[in-house]
Amino acid sequence: MQNNAKIGAVAAYEIPTVPVATGGDFHDSRAQQDAEQAARYRLVIEEGPRSGSFIYKTMDRVTGEVVKQLPREQVVGLMQDTDYSAGAVIDTRA
């Protein structure tokens, strides 16, 4: 450790506090809106067309719409073909 270290004054600032909602105002808060948005979606896992394959869907609980699906429908369609294997999507034979 150095003996010639200089210690100087540092300016101090007061940080204002943020008012917290009280009295049951959770239904109007941003946290409540975020919770409702997150609860709107659900994860559905289905067995795929081949043994050991799965399809993951994020669904909107209100509309029933599939928001996202992995693997995509095109890939699921390929998996149903008996000649399909991973990496065999492109036929390079002349």
Side-chain angles (χ1 to χ4, degrees), residues 1-7:
M1 192 169 180
Q2 296 179 355
N3 291 335
N4 60 355
K6 296 181 180 180
I7 298 175

Side-chain angles (χ1 to χ4, degrees), residues 55-94:
I55 300 170
Y56 302 90
K57 296 179 180 180
T58 303
M59 299 187 73
D60 187 324
R61 290 180 189 261
V62 176
T63 64
E65 174 188 9
V66 176
V67 178
K68 189 171 189 177
Q69 176 179 321
L70 294 173
R72 295 181 312 201
E73 287 185 28
Q74 295 88 346
V75 176
V76 173
L78 288 172
M79 291 170 64
Q80 293 173 343
D81 187 8
T82 56
D83 295 334
Y84 173 79
S85 64
V89 177
I90 301 173
D91 186 5
T92 57
R93 295 177 286 169

Side-chain angles (χ1 to χ4, degrees), residues 8-78:
V10 177
Y13 299 97
E14 181 178 343
I15 300 173
T17 58
V18 177
V20 177
T22 58
D25 289 337
F26 179 72
H27 61 84
D28 295 329
S29 71
R30 174 76 176 158
Q32 198 274 337
Q33 293 172 359
D34 291 343
E36 284 180 358
Q37 184 68 20
R40 182 175 179 151
Y41 300 107
R42 65 182 171 141
L43 175 64
V44 176
I45 302 172
E46 300 174 347
E47 189 171 352
R50 290 198 171 194
S51 170
S53 66
F54 296 94
I55 300 170
Y56 302 90
K57 296 179 180 180
T58 303
M59 299 187 73
D60 187 324
R61 290 180 189 261
V62 176
T63 64
E65 174 188 9
V66 176
V67 178
K68 189 171 189 177
Q69 176 179 321
L70 294 173
R72 295 181 312 201
E73 287 185 28
Q74 295 88 346
V75 176
V76 173
L78 288 172

